[in-house]
Amino acid sequence: MIVKSEYYFIYHTTNNFDNLVMLSDGENLNGLYFLESEKQKEKIKEKYINKDLSIFISVQKWLDMYFSGVNPNFTPQISNYYSSSFQKEVLDITKEIPYGKTITYGDIASLIAKRRSIKKMSSQAVGNALGANQICLIFSCHRVIGKSGKLTVYHGGLKNKENLLIHEHNKDFKN
């Protein structure tokens, strides 16, 4: 399901991370992702209206807590944009990954297989569902790593994924 966003707000992060853009329909958070370039930022400015909305204030509070090292104890209002019940199931699992912990794509696939009483679920299908995530950090895709502990693809860029894990774990992760 595609949710139409009309508004944006740029959140300025610390030096280790790219800035984040928030998108909203005026009531819900429809998108939260890292800005990779000034060109991308200019496209956002052309397409959406910069407006100070209550949802953006709520997301800023969540992000301020997160980047200060505190696990936020609330979830801002997010639109139901999932493309499938499977994607919702995968993303709901990522919201439950504790701050400072990681799990693998295979762990999620095994959990879903067990819940569905099936023999096996594809780790690649889990990865595809995570790749379509439009709300980074709140849906904690950065906490999902490869089988061998290796950092794998991250929609927000591997540099941001590595820095997020270092931020949460206080130790180095390598690609």
Side-chain angles (χ1 to χ4, degrees):
M1 169 192 245
I2 296 177
V3 178
K4 185 170 175 19
S5 297
E6 296 180 34
Y7 306 103
Y8 82 94
F9 184 85
I10 306 283
Y11 179 87
H12 298 279
T13 63
T14 63
N15 293 338
N16 294 338
F17 304 97
D18 293 328
N19 290 330
L20 291 155
V21 65
M22 302 174 213
L23 299 178
S24 176
D25 56 11
E27 295 180 24
N28 303 296
L29 181 66
N30 299 340
L32 176 64
Y33 56 91
F34 286 101
L35 283 172
E36 298 174 22
S37 67
E38 281 299 312
K39 188 175 185 178
Q40 187 182 26
K41 184 177 175 180
E42 291 307 314
K43 286 183 180 180
I44 295 289
K45 287 180 177 182
E46 291 172 9
K47 191 172 180 181
Y48 305 103
I49 300 165
N50 187 6
K51 191 168 183 182
D52 196 16
L53 302 170
S54 62
I55 184 61
F56 292 152
I57 293 167
S58 177
V59 176
Q60 286 177 77
K61 180 179 177 185
W62 193 98
L63 292 168
D64 287 346
M65 291 174 75
Y66 175 83
F67 284 114
S68 70
V70 175
N71 188 21
N73 58 357
F74 70 98
T75 301
Q77 189 170 323
I78 299 171
S79 66
N80 295 322
Y81 71 86
Y82 313 107
S83 60
S84 68
S85 61
F86 177 72
Q87 184 190 28
K88 181 181 184 329
E89 189 173 8
V90 170
L91 291 176
D92 284 347
I93 290 169
T94 67
K95 283 190 349 187
E96 301 304 317
I97 304 168
Y99 184 94
K101 302 291 182 190
T102 57
I103 65 173
T104 68
Y105 296 92
D107 293 335
I108 295 174
S110 295
L111 182 60
I112 291 172
K114 184 176 179 180
R115 287 180 181 175
R116 293 182 174 193
S117 299
I118 58 176
K119 187 176 180 179
K120 188 174 181 177
M121 172 59 65
S122 165
S123 297
Q124 186 175 0
V126 169
N128 289 339
L130 293 176
N133 177 26
Q134 298 175 41
I135 311 286
C136 73
L137 297 175
I138 296 169
F139 291 116
S140 309
C141 298
H142 64 281
R143 296 179 185 147
V144 183
I145 59 176
K147 181 178 171 180
S148 65
K150 184 176 179 181
L151 299 187
T152 55
V153 177
Y154 181 61
H155 191 64
L158 282 180
K159 175 195 90 158
N160 286 315
K161 182 173 187 167
E162 181 177 2
N163 286 332
L164 290 167
L165 293 173
I166 290 168
H167 170 73
E168 290 185 17
H169 292 84
N170 273 332
K171 66 180 182 181
D172 287 335
F173 280 81
K174 297 296 175 204
N175 293 333

